[in-house]
């Protein structure tokens, strides 16, 4: 048994430090409810069969990223395609911005804005999107007082990038080609 600080064996001190660290982690308040969710391995999303659009609608996706994003089946297919290329961060950012615009509470809006910034905008972010410095500066200024339009400029840039780059690759991919056969 450990007695007195001077008489504590080295392993006893190490064990006490481990316990202190573990307790500290357990006592930390999570930043959001998402921190309380137990992670699980992600599987490729498969669009529900009932949501499969007509061939005419699917053919419209070639020319309109908006029509693709508005269709749940198209969105899921596009997301699966981007995930297969390890390039889903632009779509995830765009979707996070869409969710952000729906927030009514100023407190929740500020929390979500911080999360989006840390995940997608700041330098070395885990899912950093490719936006120019001008757009990044405008976005950072907008975040001083978060509003539903705080990410609009960045979201429009990313939308244009997906339309110019990701959409044509998706249309040429097996994901889309198999669907329109």
């Amino acid at each position: 048994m450990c007695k007195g600080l001077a008489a504590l064996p080295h392993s006893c001190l190490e064990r006490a430090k481990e316990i202190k660290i573990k307790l500290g982690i357990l006592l930390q308040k999570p930043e959001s409810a998402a921190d309380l969710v137990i992670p699980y391995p992600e599987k490729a999303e498969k669009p529900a069969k009932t949501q499969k659009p007509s061939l005419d609608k699917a053919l419209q996706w070639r020319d309109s990223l908006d029509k693709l994003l508005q269709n749940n089946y198209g969105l899921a297919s596009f997301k699966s395609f981007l995930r297969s290329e390890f390039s889903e961060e632009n779509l995830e950012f765009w979707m996070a911005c869409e969710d952000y615009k729906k927030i009514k509470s100023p407190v929740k809006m500020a929390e979500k804005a911080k999360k989006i910034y840390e995940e997608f905008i700041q330098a070395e972010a885990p899912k950093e999107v490719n936006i120019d410095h001008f757009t990044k500066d405008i976005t950072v200024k907008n975040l001083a007082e978060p509003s539903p339009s705080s990410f609009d400029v960045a979201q429009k840039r990313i939308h244009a990038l997906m339309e110019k780059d990701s959409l044509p690759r998706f249309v040429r991919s097996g994901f889309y080609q198999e669907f329109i056969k």
Side-chain angles (χ1 to χ4, degrees):
M1 185 101 211
C2 301
K3 295 183 184 176
L5 231 39
L8 281 176
H10 185 57
S11 63
C12 213
L13 276 174
E14 288 175 1
R15 185 72 182 129
K17 286 180 184 176
E18 285 178 32
I19 291 170
K20 181 180 176 185
I21 290 169
K22 287 179 182 176
L23 282 173
I25 291 170
L26 288 173
L27 294 174
Q28 286 179 355
K29 183 179 178 188
E31 288 185 25
S32 70
D35 294 340
L36 299 173
V37 175
I38 298 170
Y40 60 93
E42 286 190 34
K43 295 180 181 174
E45 291 181 27
K46 293 198 176 185
K49 298 277 186 210
T50 57
Q51 296 175 340
K52 191 171 182 177
S54 68
L55 179 60
D56 288 340
K57 283 193 183 238
L59 288 172
Q60 293 175 6
W61 299 346
R62 294 183 299 194
D63 303 317
S64 173
L65 179 62
D66 290 325
K67 287 184 180 178
L68 171 68
L69 297 175
Q70 291 167 1
N71 181 282
N72 289 337
Y73 193 98
L75 178 61
S77 296
F78 189 51
K79 190 172 185 178
S80 293
F81 164 72
L82 292 174
R83 186 173 291 131
S84 76
E85 291 196 332
F86 305 100
S87 63
E88 68 266 26
E89 66 281 347
N90 287 341
L91 181 59
E92 288 180 7
F93 171 72
W94 184 88
M95 291 170 63
C97 291
E98 289 297 298
D99 289 342
Y100 172 81
K101 291 176 189 178
K102 297 173 187 170
I103 298 171
K104 302 290 183 220
S105 160
V107 172
K108 288 182 180 177
M109 185 173 283
E111 290 171 359
K112 180 74 170 179
K114 181 178 187 269
K115 186 176 179 184
I116 292 172
Y117 173 79
E118 290 173 351
E119 190 171 356
F120 298 103
I121 304 290
Q122 77 180 6
E124 305 299 320
K127 297 178 181 179
E128 186 176 1
V129 292
N130 186 12
I131 55 174
D132 57 88
H133 290 290
F134 178 75
T135 302
K136 191 177 277 196
D137 290 345
I138 289 173
T139 303
V140 169
K141 286 176 185 167
N142 290 344
L143 294 177
E145 292 182 37
S147 72
S149 62
S150 293
F151 292 101
D152 281 0
V153 175
Q155 187 183 21
K156 284 176 184 160
R157 293 266 197 262
I158 292 302
H159 184 280
L161 184 64
M162 288 192 301
E163 199 163 45
K164 186 179 88 178
D165 182 50
S166 304
L167 180 62
R169 287 195 333 267
F170 172 68
V171 168
R172 290 189 303 267
S173 76
F175 285 83
Y176 182 73
Q177 293 301 317
E178 281 298 315
F179 181 71
I180 61 169
K181 282 186 180 179

